[in-house]
Amino acid sequence: MDEYDEDKNPNGIINLGTSENKLCFDLLSSRLSQSDMLQVKPSLLQYPDWRGHLFLREEVARFLSFYCRSPAPLKPENVVVLNGCASLFSALATVLCEVGEAFLIPAPYYGAITQHVYLYGNVQLVCVYLDSEVTGLDTRPFQLTVEKLEVALQGANAEGVKVKGLILINPQNPLGDIYSPGELREYLEFAKRHELHVVVDEVYMLSVFEESLGYHSVLSLERLPDPQRTHVMWATSKAVFLLQDFGMSGLRFGTLYTENRDVATAVASLCRYHGLSGLVQHQVAQLLQDRDWINQVYLPENHARLKAAHAYVSGELRALGIPFLSRGAGFFIWVDLRKYLPKATFEEERLLWRRFLDKKVLLSFGKAFECKEPGWFRLVFSDKAHRLRLGMQRIRKVLTGTLRVAEDPPSSRTQEPRGQHI
Amino acid sequence: MEVILHLRQIINEFILQLESRHEQEDLEQEEQQHRQNIRNQEAILIHLMCEVVNLLHSGASSSLELQLPRLSLVSKGGAGSGQQAQSSREPDQLSHQLSDSKTAFISCYLSNRGIDFSALYQSNLQDFIAYKGDKYHEDKNTLGFINFGLSENKHCIDLLTERLSQSDMNYIDDDLLQYPDWKGHAFLREEVARFLTYYCKAPDLLDPGNVVVLNSSLSVFLTLTMVLCDPGDAFLIPTPLYSGFTLTSHLYSKVELIHIHLQSKMDTQTFQLIMDKLEKALLEAKFKGEKVRGLVLCNPNNSLGNIDTLDSLKEYLEFAKRHNLHVIIDETYMLSEFRASIPFHSVLNMKSLPDPNRTHVIWGTSKSFGISGFCFGTLYTHNKEVVSAVGAFGFLHGIAGLTQHKLCRLLQDGEWIDNVYLPTNRSRMQVAHRYITNKLKTMKVRFLSRGSGLYIWVNLKEYLDPCTFEEEQLFYRRFLDNKLLLAPGKAYMCKEPGWFRLTFTDKPFRLKVAMQRFSEALTHKKQNWIEKQLENALVESVSSPSTRRSSSSSSSSSSPSSSLSFSSSSFVNVDTSHF
């Protein structure tokens, strides 16, 4: 790809489309180079327990207990480790659903999940479409309600599609939304009523840079409505903490936490094909264990850098008069460019995306997230300042060259980061 | 054992009766809910019967399969009450459990395929888990398990550990931490191409664009089955074969493996794949309406250690070309030859492949370098469509960027490989192989000796009486009782019972202990056999006056049911220590 590089390729494409945390590579590189990371033990090189080495599962249990603030310590036997979230989605889809069955998922959502569950599992996704219009009982745009879940479920049943579960992503991608404990409980109760499994993807758990938001993991709830059907996923690829959270998408680590032994065993039976090198497992365990480094070096620095980058980009967007959603979690902003589309169609959205690309800046268009309404774009801001500057310049060029067709619709005014949601 | 077999037979017959009755009922228009309830009860009953048999059986041998015919008890009843998701789902699950219970694995949470995979996984791993929990250690756990069943090269782990700890392995670059090309980072694919060019002695430089790197050879095989086949298609594959192939082809792609059984007696060279067999197998498959897509070869062979000559390889490839078949050739054991009697030739060594677009080579480091925990496998094929299609699955079988870097450094270090690793590995293998084979010769045990692979294929037929797979399984359990894990031939789809695979690439002190235990197990088996013969002889001599016998049986409490036709003497011989 024609990737931007300040020295070698200054006319290359600035990538504000891929959700990766590029801000803290320096911190990670230096941590990963330390001597405890270099240790090679023979047992790491041999056939493992495919669920993941015990030392790693113990570390994951301890880690999640702490950062998810679980009421009781989490158990290593409920942990399964494999090489990334995509593999987790694939394995869960396979063991929970027959071919052709489905999961409900609020849309917009991270589009790649469609492939994750379909490629091997042949499982489909039924979208629970969210609206930017705040209507009825909604308090904010793109809000997920139980009512919408019920409607989507009924719709699926009417078409003869058997829904086996619900996927929740918290914090949400692409919206950066987080669910309150009350909302989480409502969704879990809904699932219980219909005997659906709930797969909660908490991959962005540690990338909540706005502390006032008060993020709650599903594992922090006092009593789960249906613990045997609640399965939590986490990965270092996004998690602020581990891979993604740690900005290490290339480290390929994902973990499942579930009290359901059947599900854990079934996923483990597929781990053979989604295995993770013993050496990487060791490194991940070392990282997870290092609370001092995490709490005193990585997290504060990462949050600060994310906050600064976010403030810069949102400032630029405001200056351009572009509405956006901003919640204070995740690496991205959900931007409303509807007024730049001469017609509210996905073709126009695509054309606008192309114009950005021609000017060498990559965004992600809303259709890739199954957004119902054309004109929304996801902008990733977790990058170095000079790249953000250049990226925003290029975006500005494209937009000032594009006629605005309408005034801002009232419902999509700029959203400031919310305080505690009731 | 006979008791259990008989009980199974009874359950099978009962199920068949139920099935035909259900078919009858479904034709008649009866009250659905009532029928549904009865079927639920029947399902519970059968489930309980199977549980009992499994419990009895687990006393004797826990990994024998409970083979029951598939049974769909509830499909018609369930459809009518569709809105009650709960009531229709649970009987489905139960009945599925009964119809396909490799172990008694029950779950109301999983899909049918989830249950299948779990059951397979558990049944295959039970003994491995026991071993992991109680591993032999020369100081701390001298009574622990020794594992000669898993094909792993344990005796060079020190070399690898040392090499992988060196500083050049710890380079961190931003690129390594980011999303990669799903076919593998370019630097690694280039190195793989160079490596294979050299070690396979390819006539021309191999193209990195033909390389895909995934997280194990088995993942490569899985993706190949997905991209080359539709569900229900078939591959021809000689047996004995690597059990991983069986598991994998069943998993998602539902590819059938048509076994070409190689027999030890009839062939000129034991277990050699002969062209006639290939042609015959293909013809038979076609008559049966099977859609054969390809041929799977493993060279050097897993389980046997055979190496195919260049001429044989050419013949197989020509055969495949004639019939438009793909050839998947797994060369994972490539660097594990330790004797030069038959030199190894990779297909990539050929001046020109008969059908390059249908020849796909798999390789990995788990055997060549003994680092199975490293998770690396690679595909080499000239077919760019296959490269691209397999690459599309790459995100599910990805290798961490940091691992790819280490692999690249390892493969690049030709000097270390040629001057340190290979010679040391070879000499240690020769020593171990000689030790084991000498022991076997002393014990007068027949075996197949090949110059490659990490194992020896041992013939224990004469210890089995009768020579059946059940006896083989019992013998396997006897070795387990002696804390020695071997691999029974049935796991490799061997057609003849009595073969066991013994991995010999282990440290000398473990080899010694293992062979002691092996010898003890054989000695006990012999003794048991002699005792049994004596007992039988005794019984025969005692029972010649027939009147004396009938009066003694009427006073004893022998089995009441005439259909359970086993004699009281054979019942006594069943090991009751587990009940």
Side-chain angles (χ1 to χ4, degrees), chain B residues 71 247 249 287 444 471 524 551:
Chain B
L71 177 62
L247 282 173
S249 56
F287 271 140
K444 296 199 174 41
E471 282 299 312
H524 281 152
S551 64

Side-chain angles (χ1 to χ4, degrees), chain A residues 3 18-20 22 25-26 28-29 32-33 37-51 53 83 86-88 90-91 93-101 110 112 115-116 119-123 162-164 194-197 226 228-229 237-238 244 247-252 260-263 265-280 283 384, chain B residues 85-86 88-90 92-93 105-115 117-118 121-122 125 128-129 132 135 150-154 157-158 160-162 164-167 169-180 182 185 215-219 222-223 226 242 244 247-249 251-252 366-367 370-375 392-403 406 510:
Chain A
E3 211 177 322
T18 312
S19 177
E20 267 187 321
K22 300 191 183 87
F25 282 140
D26 56 332
L28 282 163
S29 300
L32 287 171
S33 315
M37 291 291 175
L38 314 182
Q39 199 185 21
V40 180
K41 275 191 287 227
S43 56
L44 299 176
L45 298 176
Q46 293 174 305
Y47 272 119
D49 179 345
W50 288 108
R51 281 175 302 165
H53 283 283
N83 68 342
S87 303
L88 269 170
S90 178
T94 304
V95 309
L96 296 178
C97 305
E98 308 296 352
V99 168
E101 291 183 344
Y110 174 49
Q115 267 293 72
H116 298 341
L119 204 57
Y120 278 129
N122 257 301
V123 166
K162 189 147 187 213
V163 173
K164 276 287 179 62
H194 298 281
E195 288 204 338
L196 302 179
H197 287 270
D226 192 355
Q228 290 295 305
R229 286 196 180 87
S237 55
K238 307 288 179 194
Q244 248 171 337
M248 300 198 295
S249 347
L251 207 56
R252 317 239 34 84
N260 188 322
R261 293 296 166 84
D262 291 352
V263 172
T265 305
V267 170
S269 72
L270 296 171
C271 281
R272 181 75 178 76
Y273 306 95
H274 303 291
L276 192 57
S277 148
L279 298 181
V280 169
Q283 288 175 321
K384 302 230 173 76
Chain B
Q86 180 171 12
S88 62
R89 195 180 301 150
E90 258 142 42
D92 270 340
Q93 298 292 1
F105 192 89
I106 315 156
S107 176
C108 61
Y109 298 106
L110 301 178
S111 60
N112 288 340
R113 55 188 176 169
I115 291 167
F117 299 160
S118 302
Y121 169 74
Q122 286 205 325
L125 280 216
F128 183 66
I129 289 169
K132 276 265 181 192
K135 259 178 163 170
L150 197 59
S151 174
E152 222 179 2
N153 185 345
K154 293 195 189 79
I157 211 86
D158 55 333
L160 266 308
T161 309
E162 204 221 305
L164 288 167
S165 311
Q166 283 170 21
S167 56
M169 289 287 167
N170 295 301
Y171 171 71
I172 312 269
D173 183 86
D174 285 1
D175 290 336
L176 294 180
L177 297 177
Q178 289 175 302
Y179 276 118
W182 294 118
H185 280 289
N215 69 343
S216 74
S217 303
L218 211 54
S219 296
L222 174 64
T223 51
M226 293 294 288
Y242 168 44
L247 282 173
T248 306
S249 56
L251 205 62
Y252 292 113
S366 55
K367 311 298 177 192
I371 42 176
S372 12
F374 218 67
C375 299
F393 286 85
F395 70 99
L396 292 172
H397 303 288
I399 310 179
L402 300 178
T403 306
K406 290 193 217 288
R510 274 199 286 262

Side-chain angles (χ1 to χ4, degrees), chain B residues 57-80:
Chain B
H57 187 223
S58 65
S61 152
S62 59
S63 29
L64 259 183
E65 299 165 11
L66 182 73
Q67 285 166 11
L68 297 174
R70 283 205 168 268
L71 177 62
S72 57
L73 287 172
V74 291
S75 47
K76 301 205 176 92

Side-chain angles (χ1 to χ4, degrees), chain B residues 302-455:
Chain B
N302 183 337
S303 62
L304 297 179
N306 274 2
I307 293 183
D308 291 315
T309 61
L310 199 54
D311 289 334
S312 308
L313 284 175
K314 279 204 183 108
E315 278 191 56
Y316 306 147
L317 294 182
E318 298 282 356
F319 159 82
K321 179 173 183 171
R322 275 199 302 280
H323 298 283
N324 278 336
L325 300 178
H326 287 273
V327 179
I328 297 178
I329 177 150
D330 183 351
E331 297 192 341
T332 304
Y333 282 90
M334 186 169 85
L335 294 174
S336 64
E337 324 92 73
F338 53 93
R339 280 213 301 251
S341 48
I342 298 179
F344 166 76
H345 291 276
S346 162
V347 292
L348 297 173
N349 174 227
M350 292 184 178
K351 286 215 173 45
S352 67
L353 290 167
D355 194 355
N357 275 336
R358 286 197 183 88
T359 311
H360 319 291
V361 181
I362 302 178
W363 181 69
T365 46
S366 55
K367 311 298 177 192
S368 307
F369 289 99
I371 42 176
S372 12
F374 218 67
C375 299
F376 166 77
T378 185
L379 166 70
Y380 189 89
T381 176
H382 292 277
N383 189 325
K384 293 283 200 279
E385 282 175 13
V386 172
V387 167
S388 173
V390 167
F393 286 85
F395 70 99
L396 292 172
H397 303 288
I399 310 179
L402 300 178
T403 306
Q404 294 196 37
H405 169 74
K406 290 193 217 288
L407 272 166
C408 184
R409 290 299 303 133
L410 191 67
L411 297 181
Q412 235 168 25
D413 198 349
E415 232 185 78
W416 177 82
I417 297 176
D418 289 337
N419 300 334
V420 178
Y421 179 72
L422 285 180
T424 315
N425 185 38
R426 258 181 214 132
S427 72
R428 288 180 186 177
M429 280 176 84
Q430 281 166 357
V431 165
H433 184 263
R434 208 177 308 131
Y435 177 79
I436 301 279
T437 48
N438 284 342
K439 285 277 173 194
L440 290 174
K441 281 178 197 149
T442 316
M443 288 188 257
K444 296 199 174 41
V445 171
R446 291 180 293 158
F447 60 88
L448 278 187
S449 173
R450 293 283 179 268
S452 82
L454 315 178
Y455 29 66

